[in-house]
Amino acid sequence: MKSFANIDVKSVREAVTLLQKLHQEKKSAEIVSGGTELLQLMKDRVATPQYLINLKTIPGLNYIKEERSGFRIGALTTLTEIEEHKGVREKLLFLSQAAGEAASPQLRNAGTIGGNICQRPFCWYFRSANFPCLRKGGGICYAVAGDNRYHAILGGGPSYIVHPSDTAPALIALGARIKITGPAGEKTIPLEKFFVLPQVDYKRENILQPGEILTEVQIPHPKPGSKGFYHKVRERQAWDHAIVSVSTVVQSKGGICQDAHVVLGGVAPIPWRAAKAEAFLRGKKVDEGTARQVGEIALDGARPMKDNVYKIGMAKSLIQRALLASV
Amino acid sequence: MDNEVKGKGVSRRDFLKGLGGGAIGSAVISTGLLDPNKAEAYPTESTGTSRGKSTINLKVNGKSYRLEVEHRDTLAEVLRDQLGFTGTKVGCNRGECGACTVIINGRSFYSCSQLAVWMEGKEILTIEGLEKGDKLDPIQEAFIENDGPQCGFCTSGQIMSAKALLLRNPGPNEAEVRNALSGNLCRCGNYNREVAAVLAVAGKGR
């Protein structure tokens, strides 16, 4: 790793002020919590910050609180803590599972929910300093002509990364919101609005501006009659990224869908919400026929490349499986 | 220092180290004397550098060490290069293989993916901290009995992951053991024997 200075901060306010100051002085800085992801980027010289702002020394940002409106999870809460939390296990359908299937035990012990949502892509071209790719300020996305077996089939162009987070699609399906703290104060937005497609800005994965920090995740209690389903397909049964993942929450009565959230992971540069498919499902009886149609609608418009056509069938079949398990 | 780490006897590692001479951080026995707050906070702008250095207190296997580290030094590097705890192996050095696994505050971590400067106030346990006097930890014995190690490079990491599991769950089932070891790769492919070793200890604990 290149040299840098680690700065332990004691409060979110201190971190925000410091980040702003460094930004104004044109010094490069990165926020770090678990560190598991950023340190690899730094070892590979893909990220070369002069300063690391260490959030882990902020007291009181690691919590899971169950309230009447739902759960509030502090950004520094680790994936292991979410996986093992009794209330989360009992009430948040599949969030514990999504957190527990991310990465490996060692990484879940270190990695935080805030960091998991703010991950950079794991595209092998992006991760290698030898490829000056679009996302790193270069001219082309190497996935287009290169080996693109793990790349995007939806929402791609001009960059074709897939968003690596396992928890983000699950959280979006659960209707989560996030709190962002920055120079202008705090704001709470739906998590879904946090992510940025490459056609909007191919150098970033989310809307965070310099000085802004994701500080809390808020998850409403699932509505009565809701059932959730999460499944992550990966090449190995452990310690791997999703090739495709599906998170669904279906609220139904007598087999008729009243509301549905269908979110795919591993297929697009952002957690991919299949809004049209959700709308189609509302008011319909959930059976094999409709489940198949929902899959078709969700993948309508998919534009695979030479090595990742397989993801389309995989995603369709996962959606079917999810919906049939949801009523 | 060698006495701090090894206990007694001269190991192959000590012998080699003796030939080359090892620069080792000074051991501080009494933790009570140490300031829990870090010596440095903001690097001053007058230095014009972002090459962060700090003096930290590292608590490893129950003993405290005061040493100077660069901020970019990983815990694995400091354990091995400064303190001589070479039982912690560095395989991939990128948080994938698990050879560098140590226990921090009761949980398993990749020590290559933690900075030493973040370790102030934490309890670090390495493979060297498992044996009590001359007696190996039951999980170490079980790895020997079950032929857990083949080439041996991943073994200390496997054992530390297993130990982290057993600390919280003394009687895990096979699925729990496999899950706990899933962040440790074994290139010899000796997983079944490693799992058998952990299960052997789990059975005794019941």
Side-chain angles (χ1 to χ4, degrees):
Chain A
M1 273 182 277
K2 287 200 166 186
S3 292
F4 58 86
N6 173 77
I7 303 176
D8 295 339
V9 288
K10 292 283 183 289
S11 68
V12 173
R13 178 180 290 272
E14 186 189 350
V16 169
T17 310
L18 191 56
L19 284 165
Q20 252 187 312
K21 182 168 165 280
L22 292 169
H23 182 66
Q24 281 159 6
E25 290 170 6
K26 301 214 181 325
K27 302 241 170 70
S28 58
E30 295 274 2
I31 307 169
V32 66
S33 52
T36 55
E37 202 243 331
L38 180 62
L39 291 189
Q40 315 319 334
L41 284 171
M42 290 167 65
K43 288 175 188 174
D44 289 340
R45 308 281 169 108
V46 173
T48 51
Q50 293 169 288
Y51 292 90
L52 279 196
I53 313 302
N54 178 23
L55 303 183
K56 280 195 302 292
T57 43
I58 299 176
L61 213 53
N62 178 337
Y63 54 84
I64 301 178
K65 290 177 186 164
E66 190 180 346
E67 294 173 354
R68 192 176 296 178
S69 58
F71 284 81
R72 294 198 295 127
I73 302 181
L76 291 184
T77 310
T78 67
L79 296 184
T80 300
E81 286 161 346
I82 292 170
E83 179 194 358
E84 294 179 353
H85 190 268
K86 200 164 169 280
V88 171
R89 276 179 179 235
E90 283 170 7
K91 296 183 183 155
L92 287 181
L93 309 179
F94 45 67
L95 184 61
S96 160
Q97 186 194 349
E101 288 184 16
S104 69
Q106 291 93 325
L107 294 178
R108 297 193 292 272
N109 288 337
T112 63
I113 187 68
N116 189 270
I117 293 169
C118 297
Q119 281 177 88
R120 307 269 2 235
F122 276 82
C123 165
W124 40 38
Y125 301 112
F126 173 75
R127 292 265 159 177
S128 165
N130 298 330
F131 291 92
C133 78
L134 205 53
R135 206 162 273 269
K136 296 194 295 250
I140 60 167
C141 174
Y142 287 88
V144 175
D147 186 329
N148 46 40
R149 71 183 87 169
Y150 301 126
H151 289 84
I153 53 171
L154 287 160
S159 155
Y160 289 85
I161 61 138
V162 292
H163 199 276
S165 174
D166 284 323
T167 59
L171 286 166
I172 290 172
L174 289 164
R177 299 169 70 82
I178 51 164
K179 193 160 88 183
I180 294 171
T181 310
E186 288 181 351
K187 59 182 171 187
T188 305
I189 61 160
L191 176 58
E192 199 186 343
K193 305 263 184 245
F194 181 61
F195 300 100
V196 175
L197 276 172
Q199 55 202 269
V200 177
D201 187 343
Y202 52 74
K203 285 193 184 169
R204 57 168 62 233
E205 292 80 46
N206 59 57
I207 60 169
L208 282 185
Q209 294 295 320
E212 288 188 328
I213 300 170
L214 193 167
T215 47
E216 186 180 83
V217 180
Q218 303 167 351
I219 310 151
H221 290 302
K223 291 179 196 140
S226 291
K227 224 170 154 185
F229 183 92
Y230 175 83
H231 192 80
K232 169 181 173 180
V233 178
R234 42 191 165 172
E235 283 185 326
R236 298 180 293 188
Q237 279 307 300
W239 191 185
D240 209 350
H241 284 107
I243 292 175
V244 181
S245 78
V246 66
S247 309
T248 57
V249 177
V250 178
Q251 190 195 3
S252 66
K253 208 172 176 182
I256 307 294
C257 167
Q258 293 169 301
D259 197 11
H261 286 183
V262 179
V263 186
L264 295 170
V267 296
I270 60 172
W272 190 260
R273 185 159 176 201
K276 270 189 199 163
E278 292 173 2
F280 169 82
L281 189 60
R282 243 167 257 138
K284 293 206 173 54
K285 189 171 162 56
V286 184
D287 58 20
E288 222 171 306
T290 44
R292 189 179 304 120
Q293 277 175 289
V294 171
E296 293 294 334
I297 296 168
L299 272 296
D300 187 32
R303 288 192 307 149
M305 296 180 282
K306 68 178 180 355
D307 303 322
N308 65 5
V309 184
Y310 72 94
K311 284 193 179 189
I312 294 179
M314 197 176 265
K316 284 180 185 172
S317 118
L318 274 181
I319 289 173
Q320 271 185 59
R321 199 190 297 180
L323 295 180
L324 291 174
S326 298
V327 285
Chain B
M1 178 60 226
D2 288 348
N3 289 339
E4 296 285 351
V5 177
K6 286 287 173 193
K8 52 191 71 77
V10 178
S11 70
R12 177 176 142 270
R13 182 78 63 181
D14 291 333
F15 175 68
L16 292 172
K17 205 189 283 167
L19 291 176
I24 302 283
S26 60
V28 180
I29 306 302
S30 167
T31 53
L33 294 171
L34 300 173
D35 179 7
N37 296 314
K38 211 156 294 165
E40 266 169 63
Y42 294 62
T44 55
E45 275 170 50
S46 58
T47 63
T49 172
S50 54
R51 182 179 286 257
K53 269 188 187 178
S54 291
T55 302
I56 61 163
N57 304 308
L58 206 60
K59 196 167 180 193
V60 186
N61 301 334
K63 292 201 170 65
S64 288
Y65 303 88
R66 191 171 174 82
L67 34 96
E68 188 179 72
V69 297
E70 270 199 58
H71 290 182
R72 63 175 166 176
D73 291 342
T74 65
L75 175 59
E77 286 162 352
V78 169
L79 285 173
R80 289 178 55 84
D81 302 342
Q82 285 210 49
L83 294 178
F85 291 111
T86 50
T88 300
K89 302 300 178 194
V90 176
C92 68
N93 197 26
R94 48 187 306 114
E96 289 174 7
C97 77
C100 67
T101 302
V102 299
I103 294 177
I104 302 172
N105 288 358
R107 297 275 191 181
S108 60
F109 284 81
Y110 295 140
S111 61
C112 77
S113 300
Q114 296 292 318
L115 296 180
V117 74
W118 296 340
M119 291 298 119
E120 189 84 46
K122 305 214 188 291
E123 303 265 351
I124 298 155
L125 181 64
T126 71
I127 188 85
E128 290 90 345
L130 291 187
E131 57 185 276
K132 302 270 184 292
D134 276 344
K135 214 170 152 15
L136 291 178
D137 189 276
I139 186 67
Q140 292 174 302
E141 294 282 6
F143 261 68
I144 295 170
E145 282 164 24
N146 288 275
D147 285 334
Q150 274 197 27
C151 85
F153 196 81
C154 76
T155 304
S156 43
Q158 302 277 3
I159 289 178
M160 295 317 284
S161 281
K163 185 69 185 176
L165 169 69
L166 293 166
L167 283 173
R168 279 177 297 113
N169 177 3
N173 61 31
E174 185 179 336
E176 289 166 331
V177 172
R178 286 193 184 274
N179 184 46
L181 298 186
S182 62
N184 293 77
L185 306 184
C186 172
R187 277 206 67 183
C188 305
N190 209 27
Y191 296 106
N192 288 340
R193 285 168 189 268
E194 288 148 7
V195 170
V198 187
L199 285 171
V201 178
K204 280 175 197 161
R206 273 176 188 157

